[in-house]
């Protein structure tokens, strides 16, 4: 069928992509990736700083999702807490896709591999990164996929799931059209993107175990991470 983006969908798209591209991790944090010395503890500290910065970036981005601020306030918190890890996996995967300048990507990979995460989580984590990189998503797809992840209605403690579903459906329809228009030769591309959201759920279960094992080894998190991840 003839697929076309309506005027209001184009406006919605612009708002989301602008918000997604505006909020980046401050360059000084990204630069530290190259400077700090290598040790499991130093790597953990750097990753903690990046995760904390990412959560701040994520909160700002989420506030710009049209309709999000009109949701029940407690549901807004429940959506953020429930999606933070998944959104950060997506974001970190996109950082790997865009090949950061001056070899930061390799350094970042090295620091994640040597930060006290057990091998059983490293393998699925980097398989996920590879699967995201192989999709060669454009920014619109990255921004919409992150938005759809945040607007997942069945997160724990969400009261008005219908209200969340309504906004998410708008985003899903827009992403579906974008995929058809961007990749006419790949009719399954939209389904493949949504398949990654299933992988993300699995990773977020692994992540809960990663947190426990870090804490067992007496690693400290920042107050913001403790709040969003319900630790300590
Ligand atoms: C608390 C910390 C040790 C941690 O716990 N789980 C994870 C964790 C892990 Cl180890 C993997 C995936 C998700 C999380 Cl929360 C992490 C490390 O978290 C991050 C967070 C963001 C990350 C990374 C890696 C890359 N990024 C994104 C990034 C880096 C540099 C620049 C930019 C930018 O936008 O310009 C973005 C790690």
């Amino acid at each position: 069928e003839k697929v076309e983006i309506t005027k209001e969908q184009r406006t919605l798209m612009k708002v989301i992509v602008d918000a997604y591209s505006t909020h980046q991790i401050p360059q000084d944090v990204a630069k530290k990736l190259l400077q700090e010395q290598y040790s499991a503890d130093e790597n953990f500290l750097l990753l903690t700083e990046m995760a904390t910065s990412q959560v701040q970036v994520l909160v700002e981005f989420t506030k710009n999702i049209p309709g999000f601020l009109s949701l029940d306030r407690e549901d807004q918190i429940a959506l953020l807490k429930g999606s933070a890890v998944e959104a950060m996996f997506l974001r970190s995967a996109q950082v790997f896709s865009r090949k950061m300048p001056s070899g930061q990507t390799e350094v970042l990979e090295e620091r994640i591999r040597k930060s006290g995460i057990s091998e059983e989580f490293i393998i699925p984590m980097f398989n996920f990164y590879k699967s995201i990189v192989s999709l060669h998503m454009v920014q619109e797809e990255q921004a919409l996929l992150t938005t759809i992840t945040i607007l997942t209605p069945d997160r724990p403690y969400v009261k008005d799931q219908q209200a969340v579903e309504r906004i998410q459906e708008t985003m899903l329809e827009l992403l579906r059209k974008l995929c058809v228009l961007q990749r006419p030769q790949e009719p399954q591309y939209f389904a493949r993107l949504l398949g990654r959201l299933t992988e993300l759920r699995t990773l977020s279960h692994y992540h809960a175990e990663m947190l426990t094992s870090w804490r067992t080894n007496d690693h400290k998190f920042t107050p913001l991470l403790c709040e969003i991840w319900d630790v300590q």
Side-chain angles (χ1 to χ4, degrees):
E1 93 282 13
K2 177 90 188 69
V3 166
E4 66 182 39
I5 308 271
T6 64
K7 213 163 59 55
E8 58 267 14
Q9 282 177 322
R10 201 170 300 284
T11 312
L12 178 62
M13 184 77 254
K14 185 167 172 8
V15 166
I16 289 171
V17 169
D18 288 352
Y20 192 75
S21 50
T22 317
H23 302 302
Q24 301 264 348
I25 271 203
Q27 278 319 307
D28 60 315
V29 175
K31 248 200 318 282
K32 273 188 176 175
L33 269 171
L34 296 170
Q35 283 150 2
E36 301 298 325
Q37 41 121 349
Y38 280 87
S39 74
D41 285 350
E42 193 54 51
N43 293 342
F44 178 81
L45 278 176
L46 248 182
L47 289 172
T48 301
E49 193 177 333
M50 278 190 331
T52 305
S53 178
Q54 269 289 289
V55 167
Q56 288 157 345
V57 162
L58 181 68
V59 170
E60 284 317 302
F61 169 67
T62 306
K63 282 157 65 177
N64 288 305
I65 297 172
F68 183 83
L69 292 177
S70 54
L71 292 170
D72 172 282
R73 283 200 67 69
E74 286 171 355
D75 284 355
Q76 292 176 29
I77 306 288
L79 291 176
L80 266 169
K81 285 167 71 103
S83 66
V85 171
E86 294 177 21
M88 286 157 73
F89 263 104
L90 264 181
R91 185 63 192 237
S92 53
Q94 282 142 15
V95 164
F96 283 115
S97 325
R98 77 168 187 240
K99 283 270 162 233
M100 284 199 283
S102 61
Q104 278 158 314
T105 312
E106 290 70 23
V107 164
L108 177 58
E109 172 162 349
E110 198 49 32
R111 291 191 186 274
I112 293 179
R113 287 184 184 281
K114 304 251 179 341
S115 61
I117 300 171
S118 85
E119 204 50 28
E120 72 180 290
F121 305 135
I122 291 289
I123 294 167
M125 185 189 296
F126 281 93
N127 286 342
F128 176 75
Y129 286 149
K130 266 192 225 89
S131 76
I132 291 288
V133 172
S134 67
L135 286 172
H136 302 297
M137 279 194 272
V138 296
Q139 201 167 43
E140 289 79 358
E141 292 160 349
Q142 291 181 6
L144 273 174
L145 201 62
T146 302
T147 304
I148 289 160
T149 304
I150 295 164
L151 294 168
T152 300
D154 64 338
R155 297 293 186 195
Y157 314 112
V158 172
K159 295 170 294 188
D160 188 353
Q161 296 199 10
Q162 295 283 330
V164 181
E165 211 153 18
R166 267 194 302 276
I167 317 177
Q168 192 195 43
E169 264 151 21
T170 313
M171 308 299 172
L172 281 162
E173 177 53 13
L174 177 49
L175 182 59
R176 186 189 67 79
K177 284 189 174 180
L178 269 176
C179 291
V180 168
L181 291 170
Q182 300 259 8
R183 314 223 181 178
Q185 79 288 358
E186 265 182 273
Q188 293 314 316
Y189 181 70
F190 177 57
R192 282 174 68 202
L193 281 192
L194 298 191
R196 295 291 176 269
L197 299 188
T198 315
E199 266 186 84
L200 273 175
R201 292 245 184 167
T202 314
L203 283 169
S204 85
H205 291 303
Y206 283 136
H207 189 267
E209 291 175 53
M210 277 160 60
L211 286 181
T212 311
S213 74
W214 269 320
R215 287 178 59 220
T216 320
N217 301 319
D218 204 25
H219 280 95
K220 292 272 172 285
F221 299 104
T222 57
L224 180 58
L225 293 178
C226 292
E227 194 177 326
I228 201 139
W229 288 340
D230 286 332
V231 288
Q232 254 129 309

